[in-house]
Amino acid sequence: MGRLVLSHFLTISNSSPRLASSSLRAGGFQIRHLKGASLSPQNWLPSPRSSAGFRCCCSVSLSQPAVSESSPTTVKKRIVSGVQPTGSIHLGNYLGAIRNWITLQNTYDTLFFIVDLHAITLPYDAQQLSRATRDTAALYLACGVDTSKASVFVQSHVRAHVELMWLLSSVAPVGWLNRMIQFKEKSRKAGDENVGVALLTYPVLMASDILLYQSDFVPVGEDQKQHLELTRELAERVNNLFGGRKWKKLGGRGGALFKPLIPPVGARVMSLTDGCSKMSKSAPSDQSRINLLDPKDVIANKIKRCKTDSFPGMEFDNPERPECNNLLSIYQLISGKTKEEVAQECQDMNWGTFKSLLADTLIDHLYPIQVRYEEIISDAAYLDGILAEGATKASDIADTTLNNVYQAMGFLRR
C-alpha cells in the first residue's frame, strides 16, 4: 500500500483476471476516492483532545453518496487504506485520498494506516523514518480523520502484516511477481546488485495488508490495479488450496479464508509542471507539487511558476490544455464549487488573474490544517495514544484472520 482522484467502484468478476500492465510506483497503494463521497470542505477542526471531533485528472465526479448510513444492527462494510511515510503529503494525496476518507468514515468501518514497512523497499534514511511516520499520522488527524470512527495506526505495530506476508509468500509464484511492472522498472533503473528482495516481494505484503482485514473495498489508484489483481489471485489461490472442506477437516469453520475485493478506478490530480503526469512525491522537482505544509509564500510561488499555455480564457476538458484542466479541477475541489460554477467564473480570466485566485484559495484552505498539524505534532502523548489505540483495534481484526490461515495451513495451535 503506499505512496500516496476521484473514482467509481469497480466490481471484480469471479474469473481470474490477467495481471495488468499499468505503470507502478515504488511503495504500493495510492488511494482513490470511492464513488459518491462528498468533497465539500470541512468547516471546523477540533482540538487534539476532542474524542468526538474530526481527526483526520483530470475529470471530476461529485455525485452524492450511493451507500446509505448503516443502521445499528447492520454490519458496516470495511475499507482499508494506507500511505507511505516518504516525502511530504501533497495536494494530490489530500484531494485524491485523505479528504475523501472523512466522508467514507461516516459510512464504512475504516482502517487507515501508515505503511512504514513499504517505505524500506528502496534505500531510505533510517533516522527520518520514525519522524516521517509521526508526521504522516499527524497530518491524517489534522485533515479530519475521526478516531471515534476510524482506526489510525502504524503498519509495523501490527505484526500480523509480516506473518501473513510469509504465509502468502509460500504460495505466491515467482512468475507472478516477476511480471510486476514496478519491480521491472525500479530494478532496471537501480541495477540488480542494488535492489533488495523486498522490492520483488512487497506486493505480497500489500496483499496481506488488504486480506488481513477482510476488506470489502480497497480505494487505490489506477496504477495500483495490477497489485489489486495479484491480491485477488493470491486470495483465490489460498482459498482453493486450504479453504472449504480442507479447512473444516482441521477444525475450522470451512468456506473461504478471504473474501473477494471491490477496488475502484478513477482520475488523478496532476503535476504543476506537467498536466499529463500525476502529482507525485517521487518527482524530482518540488515545484511539481503543493505540499500540505508549504508556507503561503511557497504556495504562491509554485502556482505563479506552474506550467500554463497560450490559449485565451480558461476551460475544462480540452485535450490540448491538460494544465488548464488540472488547475481548474484543483480550484473546483478546494473551493467546493461545481464544475459549471467554476467554468462560468473563470472562462474569461487570464492566467495571471486565475493563478492569483487559485493561490489565495489554496492558502486559505490549507492554513487551518497546518495549524492543527502543529498542535498535534507537538503533543507526543496524544499522538502516541491514538496510534496505540488504533493498533490494538487493528490487531484484534488481523489476528482473527491470521489464526484462521495458520489453522487452515496445518500449523499447530499456539
PDB file of all heavy atoms in Angstrom, residues 321-345:
ATOM      1  N   ARG A 321      -5.208  21.186 -23.587  1.00  0.00           N
ATOM      2  CA  ARG A 321      -4.895  22.066 -22.446  1.00  0.00           C
ATOM      3  C   ARG A 321      -4.932  21.273 -21.136  1.00  0.00           C
ATOM      4  O   ARG A 321      -5.733  21.572 -20.235  1.00  0.00           O
ATOM      5  CB  ARG A 321      -5.883  23.228 -22.388  1.00  0.00           C
ATOM      6  CG  ARG A 321      -6.026  24.002 -23.684  1.00  0.00           C
ATOM      7  CD  ARG A 321      -6.906  25.221 -23.484  1.00  0.00           C
ATOM      8  NE  ARG A 321      -6.260  26.196 -22.623  1.00  0.00           N
ATOM      9  CZ  ARG A 321      -6.854  27.320 -22.182  1.00  0.00           C
ATOM     10  NH1 ARG A 321      -8.117  27.578 -22.520  1.00  0.00           N
ATOM     11  NH2 ARG A 321      -6.204  28.157 -21.392  1.00  0.00           N
ATOM     12  N   PRO A 322      -4.064  20.269 -20.974  1.00  0.00           N
ATOM     13  CA  PRO A 322      -4.096  19.462 -19.754  1.00  0.00           C
ATOM     14  C   PRO A 322      -3.801  20.255 -18.482  1.00  0.00           C
ATOM     15  O   PRO A 322      -4.388  19.993 -17.435  1.00  0.00           O
ATOM     16  CB  PRO A 322      -3.022  18.392 -20.000  1.00  0.00           C
ATOM     17  CG  PRO A 322      -2.104  18.997 -21.018  1.00  0.00           C
ATOM     18  CD  PRO A 322      -2.991  19.827 -21.902  1.00  0.00           C
ATOM     19  N   GLU A 323      -2.903  21.222 -18.575  1.00  0.00           N
ATOM     20  CA  GLU A 323      -2.574  22.029 -17.389  1.00  0.00           C
ATOM     21  C   GLU A 323      -3.755  22.896 -16.968  1.00  0.00           C
ATOM     22  O   GLU A 323      -4.052  23.030 -15.778  1.00  0.00           O
ATOM     23  CB  GLU A 323      -1.345  22.910 -17.659  1.00  0.00           C
ATOM     24  CG  GLU A 323      -0.036  22.154 -17.712  1.00  0.00           C
ATOM     25  CD  GLU A 323       0.201  21.448 -19.031  1.00  0.00           C
ATOM     26  OE1 GLU A 323      -0.436  21.841 -20.037  1.00  0.00           O
ATOM     27  OE2 GLU A 323       1.025  20.506 -19.071  1.00  0.00           O
ATOM     28  N   CYS A 324      -4.432  23.468 -17.924  1.00  0.00           N
ATOM     29  CA  CYS A 324      -5.611  24.283 -17.624  1.00  0.00           C
ATOM     30  C   CYS A 324      -6.681  23.436 -16.961  1.00  0.00           C
ATOM     31  O   CYS A 324      -7.266  23.829 -15.941  1.00  0.00           O
ATOM     32  CB  CYS A 324      -6.145  24.919 -18.902  1.00  0.00           C
ATOM     33  SG  CYS A 324      -7.593  25.988 -18.660  1.00  0.00           S
ATOM     34  N   ASN A 325      -6.934  22.273 -17.499  1.00  0.00           N
ATOM     35  CA  ASN A 325      -7.938  21.378 -16.935  1.00  0.00           C
ATOM     36  C   ASN A 325      -7.573  20.966 -15.513  1.00  0.00           C
ATOM     37  O   ASN A 325      -8.415  20.932 -14.606  1.00  0.00           O
ATOM     38  CB  ASN A 325      -8.079  20.136 -17.813  1.00  0.00           C
ATOM     39  CG  ASN A 325      -9.253  19.269 -17.393  1.00  0.00           C
ATOM     40  OD1 ASN A 325     -10.399  19.639 -17.605  1.00  0.00           O
ATOM     41  ND2 ASN A 325      -8.966  18.127 -16.787  1.00  0.00           N
ATOM     42  N   ASN A 326      -6.299  20.664 -15.287  1.00  0.00           N
ATOM     43  CA  ASN A 326      -5.838  20.242 -13.973  1.00  0.00           C
ATOM     44  C   ASN A 326      -5.997  21.345 -12.935  1.00  0.00           C
ATOM     45  O   ASN A 326      -6.511  21.117 -11.829  1.00  0.00           O
ATOM     46  CB  ASN A 326      -4.371  19.814 -14.059  1.00  0.00           C
ATOM     47  CG  ASN A 326      -3.828  19.315 -12.735  1.00  0.00           C
ATOM     48  OD1 ASN A 326      -4.462  18.520 -12.060  1.00  0.00           O
ATOM     49  ND2 ASN A 326      -2.660  19.806 -12.359  1.00  0.00           N
ATOM     50  N   LEU A 327      -5.572  22.564 -13.267  1.00  0.00           N
ATOM     51  CA  LEU A 327      -5.634  23.667 -12.308  1.00  0.00           C
ATOM     52  C   LEU A 327      -7.080  24.069 -12.013  1.00  0.00           C
ATOM     53  O   LEU A 327      -7.420  24.399 -10.867  1.00  0.00           O
ATOM     54  CB  LEU A 327      -4.838  24.861 -12.823  1.00  0.00           C
ATOM     55  CG  LEU A 327      -3.326  24.627 -12.939  1.00  0.00           C
ATOM     56  CD1 LEU A 327      -2.643  25.852 -13.531  1.00  0.00           C
ATOM     57  CD2 LEU A 327      -2.720  24.288 -11.586  1.00  0.00           C
ATOM     58  N   LEU A 328      -7.930  24.038 -13.026  1.00  0.00           N
ATOM     59  CA  LEU A 328      -9.347  24.307 -12.791  1.00  0.00           C
ATOM     60  C   LEU A 328      -9.962  23.232 -11.890  1.00  0.00           C
ATOM     61  O   LEU A 328     -10.780  23.538 -11.015  1.00  0.00           O
ATOM     62  CB  LEU A 328     -10.112  24.364 -14.112  1.00  0.00           C
ATOM     63  CG  LEU A 328      -9.965  25.629 -14.953  1.00  0.00           C
ATOM     64  CD1 LEU A 328     -10.635  25.439 -16.308  1.00  0.00           C
ATOM     65  CD2 LEU A 328     -10.552  26.842 -14.240  1.00  0.00           C
ATOM     66  N   SER A 329      -9.557  21.968 -12.094  1.00  0.00           N
ATOM     67  CA  SER A 329     -10.077  20.884 -11.266  1.00  0.00           C
ATOM     68  C   SER A 329      -9.636  21.045  -9.811  1.00  0.00           C
ATOM     69  O   SER A 329     -10.420  20.806  -8.889  1.00  0.00           O
ATOM     70  CB  SER A 329      -9.599  19.532 -11.812  1.00  0.00           C
ATOM     71  OG  SER A 329     -10.103  19.298 -13.109  1.00  0.00           O
ATOM     72  N   ILE A 330      -8.391  21.441  -9.606  1.00  0.00           N
ATOM     73  CA  ILE A 330      -7.897  21.682  -8.247  1.00  0.00           C
ATOM     74  C   ILE A 330      -8.700  22.801  -7.601  1.00  0.00           C
ATOM     75  O   ILE A 330      -9.130  22.701  -6.444  1.00  0.00           O
ATOM     76  CB  ILE A 330      -6.396  22.020  -8.273  1.00  0.00           C
ATOM     77  CG1 ILE A 330      -5.570  20.786  -8.670  1.00  0.00           C
ATOM     78  CG2 ILE A 330      -5.938  22.554  -6.908  1.00  0.00           C
ATOM     79  CD1 ILE A 330      -4.096  21.074  -8.883  1.00  0.00           C
ATOM     80  N   TYR A 331      -8.914  23.874  -8.339  1.00  0.00           N
ATOM     81  CA  TYR A 331      -9.689  25.001  -7.800  1.00  0.00           C
ATOM     82  C   TYR A 331     -11.114  24.559  -7.465  1.00  0.00           C
ATOM     83  O   TYR A 331     -11.669  24.934  -6.424  1.00  0.00           O
ATOM     84  CB  TYR A 331      -9.718  26.148  -8.809  1.00  0.00           C
ATOM     85  CG  TYR A 331     -10.584  27.308  -8.369  1.00  0.00           C
ATOM     86  CD1 TYR A 331     -10.288  28.031  -7.211  1.00  0.00           C
ATOM     87  CD2 TYR A 331     -11.705  27.678  -9.103  1.00  0.00           C
ATOM     88  CE1 TYR A 331     -11.077  29.096  -6.797  1.00  0.00           C
ATOM     89  CE2 TYR A 331     -12.505  28.740  -8.709  1.00  0.00           C
ATOM     90  CZ  TYR A 331     -12.191  29.440  -7.546  1.00  0.00           C
ATOM     91  OH  TYR A 331     -12.995  30.475  -7.138  1.00  0.00           O
ATOM     92  N   GLN A 332     -11.705  23.747  -8.330  1.00  0.00           N
ATOM     93  CA  GLN A 332     -13.057  23.259  -8.066  1.00  0.00           C
ATOM     94  C   GLN A 332     -13.110  22.484  -6.753  1.00  0.00           C
ATOM     95  O   GLN A 332     -14.001  22.686  -5.918  1.00  0.00           O
ATOM     96  CB  GLN A 332     -13.522  22.365  -9.216  1.00  0.00           C
ATOM     97  CG  GLN A 332     -14.908  21.779  -8.994  1.00  0.00           C
ATOM     98  CD  GLN A 332     -15.213  20.632  -9.948  1.00  0.00           C
ATOM     99  OE1 GLN A 332     -14.488  20.425 -10.925  1.00  0.00           O
ATOM    100  NE2 GLN A 332     -16.279  19.893  -9.660  1.00  0.00           N
ATOM    101  N   LEU A 333     -12.162  21.574  -6.545  1.00  0.00           N
ATOM    102  CA  LEU A 333     -12.153  20.736  -5.352  1.00  0.00           C
ATOM    103  C   LEU A 333     -11.903  21.558  -4.087  1.00  0.00           C
ATOM    104  O   LEU A 333     -12.542  21.342  -3.058  1.00  0.00           O
ATOM    105  CB  LEU A 333     -11.092  19.650  -5.486  1.00  0.00           C
ATOM    106  CG  LEU A 333     -11.349  18.593  -6.560  1.00  0.00           C
ATOM    107  CD1 LEU A 333     -10.125  17.707  -6.728  1.00  0.00           C
ATOM    108  CD2 LEU A 333     -12.562  17.752  -6.213  1.00  0.00           C
ATOM    109  N   ILE A 334     -10.969  22.476  -4.164  1.00  0.00           N
ATOM    110  CA  ILE A 334     -10.628  23.281  -2.991  1.00  0.00           C
ATOM    111  C   ILE A 334     -11.738  24.259  -2.644  1.00  0.00           C
ATOM    112  O   ILE A 334     -12.055  24.493  -1.474  1.00  0.00           O
ATOM    113  CB  ILE A 334      -9.302  24.031  -3.228  1.00  0.00           C
ATOM    114  CG1 ILE A 334      -8.128  23.051  -3.237  1.00  0.00           C
ATOM    115  CG2 ILE A 334      -9.078  25.101  -2.161  1.00  0.00           C
ATOM    116  CD1 ILE A 334      -7.882  22.373  -1.906  1.00  0.00           C
ATOM    117  N   SER A 335     -12.354  24.853  -3.662  1.00  0.00           N
ATOM    118  CA  SER A 335     -13.395  25.859  -3.419  1.00  0.00           C
ATOM    119  C   SER A 335     -14.735  25.241  -3.046  1.00  0.00           C
ATOM    120  O   SER A 335     -15.579  25.903  -2.439  1.00  0.00           O
ATOM    121  CB  SER A 335     -13.576  26.728  -4.665  1.00  0.00           C
ATOM    122  OG  SER A 335     -14.111  25.967  -5.743  1.00  0.00           O
ATOM    123  N   GLY A 336     -14.947  23.970  -3.412  1.00  0.00           N
ATOM    124  CA  GLY A 336     -16.232  23.327  -3.150  1.00  0.00           C
ATOM    125  C   GLY A 336     -17.310  23.704  -4.139  1.00  0.00           C
ATOM    126  O   GLY A 336     -18.479  23.346  -3.957  1.00  0.00           O
ATOM    127  N   LYS A 337     -16.947  24.391  -5.213  1.00  0.00           N
ATOM    128  CA  LYS A 337     -17.914  24.800  -6.217  1.00  0.00           C
ATOM    129  C   LYS A 337     -18.134  23.680  -7.236  1.00  0.00           C
ATOM    130  O   LYS A 337     -17.337  22.748  -7.323  1.00  0.00           O
ATOM    131  CB  LYS A 337     -17.426  26.065  -6.929  1.00  0.00           C
ATOM    132  CG  LYS A 337     -17.279  27.264  -6.005  1.00  0.00           C
ATOM    133  CD  LYS A 337     -16.738  28.478  -6.743  1.00  0.00           C
ATOM    134  CE  LYS A 337     -16.581  29.667  -5.791  1.00  0.00           C
ATOM    135  NZ  LYS A 337     -16.032  30.870  -6.486  1.00  0.00           N
ATOM    136  N   THR A 338     -19.203  23.787  -7.989  1.00  0.00           N
ATOM    137  CA  THR A 338     -19.463  22.807  -9.042  1.00  0.00           C
ATOM    138  C   THR A 338     -18.587  23.119 -10.247  1.00  0.00           C
ATOM    139  O   THR A 338     -18.055  24.227 -10.402  1.00  0.00           O
ATOM    140  CB  THR A 338     -20.936  22.818  -9.472  1.00  0.00           C
ATOM    141  OG1 THR A 338     -21.218  24.085 -10.104  1.00  0.00           O
ATOM    142  CG2 THR A 338     -21.856  22.619  -8.282  1.00  0.00           C
ATOM    143  N   LYS A 339     -18.485  22.128 -11.106  1.00  0.00           N
ATOM    144  CA  LYS A 339     -17.714  22.318 -12.332  1.00  0.00           C
ATOM    145  C   LYS A 339     -18.306  23.437 -13.177  1.00  0.00           C
ATOM    146  O   LYS A 339     -17.565  24.254 -13.756  1.00  0.00           O
ATOM    147  CB  LYS A 339     -17.694  21.002 -13.110  1.00  0.00           C
ATOM    148  CG  LYS A 339     -16.799  20.999 -14.324  1.00  0.00           C
ATOM    149  CD  LYS A 339     -16.751  19.604 -14.936  1.00  0.00           C
ATOM    150  CE  LYS A 339     -15.822  19.551 -16.142  1.00  0.00           C
ATOM    151  NZ  LYS A 339     -15.738  18.182 -16.722  1.00  0.00           N
ATOM    152  N   GLU A 340     -19.623  23.499 -13.225  1.00  0.00           N
ATOM    153  CA  GLU A 340     -20.296  24.533 -14.019  1.00  0.00           C
ATOM    154  C   GLU A 340     -20.035  25.923 -13.445  1.00  0.00           C
ATOM    155  O   GLU A 340     -19.808  26.891 -14.182  1.00  0.00           O
ATOM    156  CB  GLU A 340     -21.800  24.262 -14.070  1.00  0.00           C
ATOM    157  CG  GLU A 340     -22.196  23.026 -14.866  1.00  0.00           C
ATOM    158  CD  GLU A 340     -21.840  21.710 -14.166  1.00  0.00           C
ATOM    159  OE1 GLU A 340     -21.672  21.721 -12.918  1.00  0.00           O
ATOM    160  OE2 GLU A 340     -21.720  20.689 -14.862  1.00  0.00           O
ATOM    161  N   GLU A 341     -20.059  26.026 -12.119  1.00  0.00           N
ATOM    162  CA  GLU A 341     -19.800  27.318 -11.479  1.00  0.00           C
ATOM    163  C   GLU A 341     -18.378  27.798 -11.751  1.00  0.00           C
ATOM    164  O   GLU A 341     -18.146  28.981 -12.023  1.00  0.00           O
ATOM    165  CB  GLU A 341     -20.038  27.213  -9.974  1.00  0.00           C
ATOM    166  CG  GLU A 341     -21.503  27.071  -9.586  1.00  0.00           C
ATOM    167  CD  GLU A 341     -21.693  26.751  -8.119  1.00  0.00           C
ATOM    168  OE1 GLU A 341     -20.746  26.229  -7.487  1.00  0.00           O
ATOM    169  OE2 GLU A 341     -22.799  27.021  -7.586  1.00  0.00           O
ATOM    170  N   VAL A 342     -17.418  26.874 -11.664  1.00  0.00           N
ATOM    171  CA  VAL A 342     -16.020  27.238 -11.910  1.00  0.00           C
ATOM    172  C   VAL A 342     -15.823  27.627 -13.376  1.00  0.00           C
ATOM    173  O   VAL A 342     -15.127  28.607 -13.684  1.00  0.00           O
ATOM    174  CB  VAL A 342     -15.085  26.074 -11.529  1.00  0.00           C
ATOM    175  CG1 VAL A 342     -13.668  26.340 -12.003  1.00  0.00           C
ATOM    176  CG2 VAL A 342     -15.107  25.859 -10.025  1.00  0.00           C
ATOM    177  N   ALA A 343     -16.420  26.867 -14.271  1.00  0.00           N
ATOM    178  CA  ALA A 343     -16.278  27.170 -15.698  1.00  0.00           C
ATOM    179  C   ALA A 343     -16.800  28.565 -16.015  1.00  0.00           C
ATOM    180  O   ALA A 343     -16.169  29.326 -16.770  1.00  0.00           O
ATOM    181  CB  ALA A 343     -17.021  26.118 -16.524  1.00  0.00           C
ATOM    182  N   GLN A 344     -17.946  28.920 -15.435  1.00  0.00           N
ATOM    183  CA  GLN A 344     -18.513  30.238 -15.688  1.00  0.00           C
ATOM    184  C   GLN A 344     -17.684  31.336 -15.036  1.00  0.00           C
ATOM    185  O   GLN A 344     -17.450  32.401 -15.635  1.00  0.00           O
ATOM    186  CB  GLN A 344     -19.952  30.295 -15.161  1.00  0.00           C
ATOM    187  CG  GLN A 344     -20.658  31.609 -15.457  1.00  0.00           C
ATOM    188  CD  GLN A 344     -22.126  31.578 -15.042  1.00  0.00           C
ATOM    189  OE1 GLN A 344     -22.599  30.601 -14.481  1.00  0.00           O
ATOM    190  NE2 GLN A 344     -22.843  32.654 -15.330  1.00  0.00           N
ATOM    191  N   GLU A 345     -17.213  31.102 -13.817  1.00  0.00           N
ATOM    192  CA  GLU A 345     -16.431  32.112 -13.093  1.00  0.00           C
ATOM    193  C   GLU A 345     -15.107  32.416 -13.784  1.00  0.00           C
ATOM    194  O   GLU A 345     -14.673  33.573 -13.828  1.00  0.00           O
ATOM    195  CB  GLU A 345     -16.147  31.611 -11.673  1.00  0.00           C
ATOM    196  CG  GLU A 345     -15.274  32.542 -10.848  1.00  0.00           C
ATOM    197  CD  GLU A 345     -14.887  31.941  -9.498  1.00  0.00           C
ATOM    198  OE1 GLU A 345     -15.237  30.764  -9.255  1.00  0.00           O
ATOM    199  OE2 GLU A 345     -14.240  32.633  -8.697  1.00  0.00           O
TER     200      GLU A 345
END
